[in-house]
Amino acid sequence: MSASYATTGRAARRMSWFLLFLVGVALTVTLYFVKTHAQSAKREVRQLTQSIAAEEAVIRVLRAELAYLQSPTRLSELNDEHLKLAPITPEQEREAADIIAMFPLVSELGEEVAP
C-alpha cells in the first residue's frame, strides 16, 4: 500500500508543479499584453497632448488675428480710406412714419401699396 501512495503523492506533486507552471506562463503572457497596452496608451496620450498643444497655439493665433481685425483704429482707417462714413447727426434721424412717406411701398406690378 505504501508504494501506491508514494506514486500517487509524486504524481500529485508533479501535477501541482505543472499547474503552477501553467499559471506562471499565463501570468507572464497577461503581463506582457497589459504592458504592451499600457505603452500604446501612453503613446496615444502623448500624441493627443501634442495635438492639443498645437490646436491651442492655433487658437491663440486666431484670437490675435481677430483682435487685430476688430481693432477700432484699423476699422477707422478702413472707413476713412474706402467708405468715408460719418457719425449720424440728429438732423438725419427719422421716425417710421417719415420713412414710409419718403419710401412708399410698391408692389411687383409697380403700384403703390397703402400701409
Side-chain angles (χ1 to χ4, degrees):
M1 286 272 188
S2 65
S4 76
Y5 285 126
T7 55
T8 315
R10 213 176 315 160
R13 270 187 260 128
R14 283 185 185 164
M15 181 61 89
S16 58
W17 280 109
F18 181 70
L19 289 175
L20 284 174
F21 175 74
L22 287 179
V23 168
V25 168
L27 287 174
T28 304
V29 170
T30 303
L31 178 64
Y32 171 76
F33 283 117
V34 168
K35 185 178 176 182
T36 304
H37 181 69
Q39 287 175 346
S40 62
K42 283 182 182 179
R43 189 178 319 111
E44 185 178 345
V45 166
R46 187 173 34 250
Q47 289 172 346
L48 288 174
T49 303
Q50 291 172 349
S51 172
I52 289 171
E55 292 298 324
E56 286 174 346
V58 169
I59 289 172
R60 281 193 301 273
V61 168
L62 289 174
R63 285 189 176 147
E65 287 179 0
L66 184 61
Y68 168 73
L69 291 174
Q70 290 179 341
S71 70
T73 307
R74 178 182 168 278
L75 292 176
S76 175
E77 289 172 1
L78 288 174
N79 174 47
D80 294 342
E81 183 179 333
H82 298 287
L83 301 175
K84 304 197 182 2
L85 296 176
I88 296 175
T89 61
E91 295 82 32
Q92 293 173 318
E93 291 184 16
R94 302 282 185 239
E95 296 199 14
D98 296 336
I99 294 173
I100 292 173
M102 291 172 66
F103 304 103
L105 297 175
V106 178
S107 69
E108 292 179 6
L109 301 174
E111 300 170 349
E112 190 170 320
V113 179

